[in-house]
Amino acid sequence: MDKQTIQDVTFKGKKVVVRVDFNVPLDKSLNITDDRRIKEALPTIQYLLKQGASKVILMSHLGRPDGQVVENLRLTPIAKQLEKLLGEKVLKLDECVGAAVKQKIDQSKEKVVLLENLRFHKEEEKNNPEFAKQLAALADIYVNDAFGTAHRAHASTEGIAKFLPAVAGFLIERELKYLGEAVNSPKRPMVVILGGAKVSDKIMLIENLLKKADSILIGGGMAFTFLKAMGKNIGNSKLDPEKVDVARSLLEKAKKANVHIELTSDFCIVKNFDATDTLKTVKDIPDGWESLDIGPETRKRFKDILSKAKTVIWNGPVGVFEIDAYAAGTKDVAQHLAGLKGVMTIIGGGDSAAAVSKFGLDDKMTHISTGGGASLEYLEGKELPGIAALQSKRSARV
Ligand code: AMP
């Protein structure tokens, strides 16, 4: 990566402000139900402390308070969990900018500080330069380690980098290493599995991958718009009617680019979503039925292609994996990927990451992205503003 990371600069005696992604799920009693995002930030925090940073000032958003103080979205439960995981006292403040915040940080004996929810200020998402400047005024160096929000140009992800030396943390470095290698210099054959619900969300992704992949396997709700474009019966299965022409043109482009497209060829169908007892497998979907999973023949075809791959990128489940009756295809694909040897397996965040997790296969994949939207945009070939704003290896501001 051509961006500077925390290993390229010195932190001794410096105050460091770090954008982390502590947007964790909370239950009604404000208990954290999954603290993975806090754990993911620990290596960067621990490294900065070890390097002698005088303050490590952490900032994040939580939920969607839309520019107002929402009591249930304060970062207080996160500070408590962070203290536990870090084994170090954390000063939790109830604001994120201003003279009082600065003073409290400077006078505290705690080295680790957690600012209040950034999105209590509408200026954060508006990337207001004055707000970014106020955040920057708290520290000497800025570290971005929030990959999940790197595709958004917000004050704490992009704006702040205009006022401070700005480098990437370990999490962003790891994401770019794996995603970058998978799309820019993949070992071949490179196979992409696409699923999920909407074609419109992933058109850009398919366009870009046609330039890179050897095969694209399309399952899930995505497949039906393509099957419709080929004149197949899809019954009541998921369809993006406005995208049928686009799907047809993508199939033509794939042919020209010599990219093999493998579509669902047999279907697990039901009369309606709740009628799991009507589940059966067919090659041709009758009117009035809908398909919610790929059938055994498709699974076999997908697995045969995956067995020859050297790089696999997976974005979107191939069935409604959240419901056990429709999860078999996604589980089979996930287990097959987990068993491949010497293959780089990249899971593009979001629902595919949730599926891999549900089947207990997290540690069997090469990399599971922490950012659904961010990884999608990266794979589409877009520049992520939160990363573009960091200083390049060639510049030497610190
Ligand atoms: P996306 O956000 O586009 O990746 O969509 C993910 C969602 O697609 C998941 O919640 C799945 O349940 C859903 N999905 C997968 N396969 C199908 C299908 N055949 N029909 C309808 N929804 C599906």
Side-chain angles (χ1 to χ4, degrees):
M1 147 166 115
D2 87 315
K3 295 295 180 184
Q4 288 194 8
T5 75
I6 46 177
Q7 281 171 302
D8 294 317
V9 298
T10 53
F11 290 101
K12 200 159 179 52
K14 302 261 176 67
K15 288 191 278 181
V16 191
V17 62
V18 189
R19 176 56 156 106
V20 286
D21 181 2
F22 284 170
N23 184 28
V24 293
L26 298 172
D27 65 15
K28 285 201 183 87
S29 321
L30 303 184
N31 297 307
I32 298 168
T33 54
D34 181 355
D35 65 356
R36 213 170 332 172
R37 286 184 168 160
I38 307 178
K39 286 186 180 143
E40 301 264 17
L42 295 178
T44 292
I45 300 169
Q46 283 158 339
Y47 178 83
L48 294 172
L49 291 171
K50 212 166 147 211
Q51 294 299 307
S54 64
K55 297 284 172 195
V56 177
I57 306 158
L58 305 167
M59 56 178 175
S60 176
H61 74 284
L62 175 64
R64 297 174 184 274
D66 288 334
Q68 287 174 33
V69 176
V70 175
E71 286 305 323
N72 284 350
L73 293 177
R74 289 195 180 276
L75 267 53
T76 318
I78 295 168
K80 290 207 183 100
Q81 186 62 10
L82 178 63
E83 269 185 358
K84 241 193 243 165
L85 293 169
L86 208 53
E88 173 126 10
K89 270 239 146 283
V90 173
L91 173 70
K92 158 70 182 45
L93 299 178
D94 54 12
E95 241 303 1
C96 58
V97 287
V101 166
K102 199 166 165 26
Q103 197 180 21
K104 280 182 192 155
I105 293 172
D106 291 344
Q107 288 172 355
S108 75
K109 32 180 213 318
E110 289 88 357
K111 282 200 169 154
V112 182
V113 180
L114 180 61
L115 302 179
E116 191 52 279
N117 194 338
L118 291 160
R119 292 193 189 167
F120 284 178
H121 292 261
K122 61 180 181 323
E123 293 82 0
E124 158 66 356
E125 289 181 84
K126 294 207 159 112
N127 199 5
N128 177 290
E130 199 45 49
F131 183 68
K133 206 171 171 178
Q134 282 183 290
L135 291 171
L138 303 175
D140 308 304
I141 304 180
Y142 166 66
V143 173
N144 190 358
D145 213 20
F147 183 73
T149 47
H151 58 315
R152 305 274 179 241
H154 293 167
S156 68
T157 63
E158 199 267 349
I160 188 170
K162 298 196 174 84
F163 302 105
L164 284 179
V167 300
F170 287 130
L171 184 57
I172 284 199
E173 186 184 20
R174 197 174 76 219
E175 290 275 6
L176 295 184
K177 172 178 163 0
Y178 286 117
L179 293 175
E181 200 176 318
V183 286
N184 299 322
S185 49
K187 289 212 179 79
R188 295 191 175 277
M190 179 217 204
V191 180
V192 180
I193 312 166
L194 290 180
K198 279 211 241 115
V199 178
S200 51
D201 284 357
K202 290 175 194 169
I203 281 172
M204 293 274 287
L205 177 64
I206 302 173
E207 286 266 17
N208 196 38
L209 291 176
L210 283 178
K211 295 180 223 143
K212 320 230 172 207
D214 297 293
S215 297
I216 302 181
L217 319 180
I218 306 182
M222 286 269 295
F224 300 104
T225 306
F226 287 89
L227 291 165
K228 183 88 184 168
M230 291 165 67
K232 299 255 169 31
N233 291 332
I234 63 161
N236 290 343
S237 308
K238 190 103 198 160
L239 173 68
D240 214 336
E242 285 164 22
K243 297 295 179 250
V244 175
D245 288 342
V246 179
R248 192 175 297 115
S249 116
L250 285 171
L251 289 171
E252 277 159 22
K253 280 185 192 166
K255 217 181 250 167
K256 278 194 196 130
N258 215 10
V259 176
H260 174 73
I261 303 253
E262 185 72 40
L263 283 163
T264 316
S265 54
D266 64 336
F267 311 88
C268 295
I269 59 168
V270 282
K271 277 194 172 151
N272 64 64
F273 195 90
D274 297 319
T276 48
D277 57 332
T278 61
L279 189 68
K280 60 178 180 178
T281 304
V282 293
K283 295 269 291 171
D284 202 15
I285 306 173
D287 286 347
W289 289 67
E290 70 178 306
S291 172
L292 297 172
D293 196 8
I294 56 172
E297 178 190 285
T298 310
R299 290 175 214 164
K300 180 168 183 321
R301 284 175 183 240
F302 280 14
K303 288 191 288 182
D304 286 347
I305 294 171
L306 291 168
S307 292
K308 295 187 194 107
K310 285 277 174 290
T311 304
V312 179
I313 299 176
W314 185 9
N315 187 296
V318 296
V320 180
F321 75 98
E322 298 93 334
I323 313 281
D324 286 344
Y326 316 130
T330 304
K331 188 174 183 181
D332 203 6
V333 168
Q335 284 177 335
H336 187 71
L337 281 187
L340 294 176
K341 299 269 174 305
V343 181
M344 182 184 238
T345 47
I346 305 286
I347 312 301
D351 280 307
S352 349
V356 167
S357 219
K358 176 177 169 160
F359 306 129
L361 300 169
D362 295 71
D363 57 354
K364 298 277 192 299
M365 305 296 166
T366 310
H367 179 66
I368 301 181
S369 178
T370 55
S375 74
L376 192 60
E377 292 200 15
Y378 185 86
L379 296 173
E380 283 171 0
K382 287 190 192 153
E383 187 170 63
L384 308 183
I387 289 163
L390 304 176
Q391 60 205 38
S392 76
K393 294 252 191 221
R394 287 175 297 275
S395 69
R397 271 155 73 190
V398 194

